[in-house]
Amino acid sequence: MDTDKTKMHFTDNYLINPTNPITVNLIGAGGTGSKVLTALMEMNHSLVELGHAGLSVRLWDDDIVTSANLGRQRFAECETGLYKSVALINRANRFMGTNWKAETVKFEKNTLGKLPKSAEATLYISCVDSVQSRFDIADILSLQNNHRLHRDAPKYWLDFGNSQHTGQVILSTIGIIKQPNSEKYETVAGLPLVTEEFGELLKQSEGQDDTPSCSLAEALEKQELFINSALAQMGCSLLWGLFRYGMTQYRGFFLNLKDFRSQPIPLA
């Protein structure tokens, strides 16, 4: 008889029963980030309707909306020339009545080598287009792991990444998440950072062209039209499960949109 228990990660209790809205740093407001923000709007409204405190999102991006962004990213022609983060957050706040914040700078350490107070959060979501940005975020989160006693102590990092036809979403814990005793499941307290588990693969892809596109046609040569939205919906479904069901047996997935294949990543 097979007596192996299913591996399961139980959500940190503060995400399920918070005293205040869960603080979220969304890093990147481009093709994926702009669509993740829409999903977070829907998630926030649903959580509040269920009696939860909801989400408090801060969107980080220093890029300006250009004509190449129209169509593939969630921007209108009248928003060209504006900061992406400001355009998206203003629209979200008007639409949902929230008080979310926009940052028009890169998510990075200050001149003292520390993270600004405004950048502290419980949940980090990265939608960046460079390998170095992921390692920089991992470095920042490693520092944050030493400050886990305050209200906005860091708990999770959800990273979105993609190429032209394929992509992946990886969930990591920032440190160890205390797990309940379980007779039914084998609990998993720590999920490795994407840079720890897939660091070599990330470095191998470092030479890929990530320069800005001058037109939508050029942008579509680098990323297919619906790869970002497909990743955003599936990745936010994983996040929703943490809130709604309080557990997950998967820590992400790989997606190939060209032949419509997805491969879940079970807990190790």
Side-chain angles (χ1 to χ4, degrees):
M1 178 183 297
D2 185 7
T3 58
D4 289 344
K5 295 181 180 179
T6 300
K7 291 185 178 180
M8 190 72 66
H9 174 77
F10 287 85
T11 310
D12 186 274
N13 188 60
Y14 185 70
L15 269 70
I16 301 173
N17 297 301
T19 53
N20 296 281
I22 299 294
T23 49
V24 181
N25 273 329
L26 176 56
I27 307 163
T32 303
S34 61
K35 295 176 174 66
V36 167
L37 183 69
T38 301
L40 292 177
M41 291 164 57
E42 298 168 352
M43 197 180 304
N44 175 66
H45 180 79
S46 300
L47 287 170
V48 171
E49 289 295 304
L50 292 169
H52 190 278
L55 308 174
S56 177
V57 178
R58 189 177 293 268
L59 178 60
W60 298 77
D61 201 306
D62 65 339
D63 279 349
I64 302 295
V65 180
T66 68
S67 58
N69 302 140
L70 307 183
R72 192 177 64 82
Q73 300 182 16
R74 199 143 286 171
F75 298 105
E77 187 172 359
C78 63
E79 293 172 323
T80 54
L82 300 177
Y83 280 104
K84 291 181 177 180
S85 57
V86 172
L88 290 171
I89 288 296
N90 283 345
R91 196 188 318 155
N93 288 339
R94 289 196 301 268
F95 193 87
M96 302 299 291
T98 49
N99 189 31
W100 293 356
K101 306 298 182 182
E103 295 285 352
T104 58
V105 295
K106 289 183 178 181
F107 182 80
E108 59 186 4
K109 291 180 286 188
N110 59 24
T111 54
L112 299 176
K114 298 180 179 180
L115 195 64
K117 188 70 175 178
S118 62
E120 295 177 351
T122 298
L123 173 63
Y124 294 78
I125 303 175
S126 55
C127 306
V128 296
D129 55 9
S130 76
V131 173
Q132 187 57 50
S133 294
R134 285 186 176 83
F135 281 95
D136 290 344
I137 292 171
D139 184 44
I140 290 172
L141 296 185
S142 296
L143 292 176
Q144 287 297 92
N145 191 33
N146 297 324
H147 303 84
R148 297 181 58 86
L149 300 179
H150 56 79
R151 191 191 76 188
D152 294 326
K155 304 291 186 183
Y156 294 98
W157 176 20
L158 188 65
D159 178 67
F160 291 76
N162 70 280
S163 56
Q164 184 175 12
H165 301 283
T166 62
Q168 72 285 329
V169 177
I170 307 294
L171 176 69
S172 306
T173 59
I174 304 171
I176 298 300
I177 304 298
K178 185 178 180 181
Q179 299 290 287
N181 295 324
S182 176
E183 295 182 359
K184 184 177 181 180
Y185 300 111
E186 178 185 344
T187 59
V188 179
L191 311 178
L193 300 182
V194 61
T195 50
E196 294 174 350
E197 189 170 16
F198 300 104
E200 289 305 315
L201 287 176
L202 289 172
K203 290 175 182 177
Q204 289 174 18
S205 65
E206 199 166 13
Q208 294 179 358
D209 181 18
D210 59 1
T211 55
S213 303
C214 297
S215 67
L216 177 60
E218 184 179 339
L220 292 174
E221 289 297 316
K222 300 177 182 178
Q223 299 182 45
E224 275 298 331
L225 185 58
F226 293 110
I227 183 65
N228 303 108
S229 54
L231 285 171
Q233 292 295 303
M234 293 178 67
C236 287
S237 180
L238 171 63
L239 181 60
W240 171 248
L242 289 178
F243 285 105
R244 186 75 174 109
Y245 306 112
M247 65 178 76
T248 180
Q249 67 181 99
Y250 301 104
R251 58 177 306 250
F253 60 88
F254 295 102
L255 176 67
N256 187 322
L257 201 59
K258 190 171 186 179
D259 56 10
F260 305 104
R261 286 187 296 114
S262 63
Q263 178 63 48
I265 305 173
L267 298 178

